[in-house]
Amino acid sequence: MIKLIRFVGLIMQSILIEFLHVFGLVAFLLAAALGYFRLPSWLVPIVGIICGIIADKFIDQTEVIALLERAASANQRGGFLVIVYIVIVAVGYVAGAYARATVHRRKIAQATPRQAAQRPQAAKQPQKRNKSGSSKA
């Protein structure tokens, strides 16, 4: 259990390093766009793997290494960076999907007062009653 907690802490520190390095933020925003535009969720691990490989091969992280020495040494391993970017992209995808749902709810909430203003006019029309006095047709 303690090893799991340490691993999660190490991933959190690596995510912080990647966000400070800006490429993690770019991957997060890309994943948020995937979620916002309802692209398939199977793209999440693919984008995470691609971003992890790009970060491992092409991005120099020596500027940020002094911040968190342990996480920085873990980031030197390509497989660990892939895991970090899969986590970043998965959270970004969920954030984008949640943002889309929030925007959709706001649009519905803004449309509802207009519809409510139109309904009383339609409701004022008298209903036809049958001979027994009920409003069933």
Side-chain angles (χ1 to χ4, degrees):
M1 184 69 173
I2 291 185
K3 287 186 179 186
L4 178 66
I5 292 172
R6 286 182 182 170
F7 182 70
V8 170
L10 190 61
I11 287 179
M12 297 296 275
Q13 289 175 356
S14 294
I15 289 171
L16 175 68
I17 287 175
E18 296 305 318
F19 276 160
L20 290 175
H21 208 280
V22 181
F23 187 67
L25 183 61
V26 170
F28 180 81
L29 293 175
L30 176 67
L34 290 175
Y36 186 81
F37 293 114
R38 291 186 182 171
L39 293 174
S41 61
W42 54 264
L43 287 173
V44 169
I46 293 171
V47 172
I49 291 170
I50 291 170
C51 289
I53 291 171
I54 290 172
D56 183 45
K57 300 293 181 192
F58 300 112
I59 295 180
D60 182 29
Q61 297 183 355
T62 55
E63 304 164 358
V64 194
I65 287 179
L67 293 174
L68 302 166
E69 194 69 36
R70 187 180 216 184
S73 66
N75 279 359
Q76 305 263 329
R77 299 180 194 110
F80 185 75
L81 269 179
V82 168
I83 293 171
V84 168
Y85 274 96
I86 287 175
V87 170
I88 289 173
V89 171
V91 171
Y93 184 85
V94 170
Y98 181 75
R100 180 178 181 83
T102 303
V103 168
H104 182 66
R105 268 187 259 125
R106 285 187 183 169
K107 284 182 182 178
I108 290 173
Q110 290 174 353
T112 303
R114 292 182 198 146
Q115 292 173 353
Q118 294 173 355
R119 284 185 187 155
Q121 295 171 356
K124 290 180 183 178
Q125 296 174 355
Q127 295 179 353
K128 295 183 179 180
R129 298 192 180 261
N130 61 8
K131 293 181 183 179
S132 66
S134 68
S135 62
K136 292 183 180 178

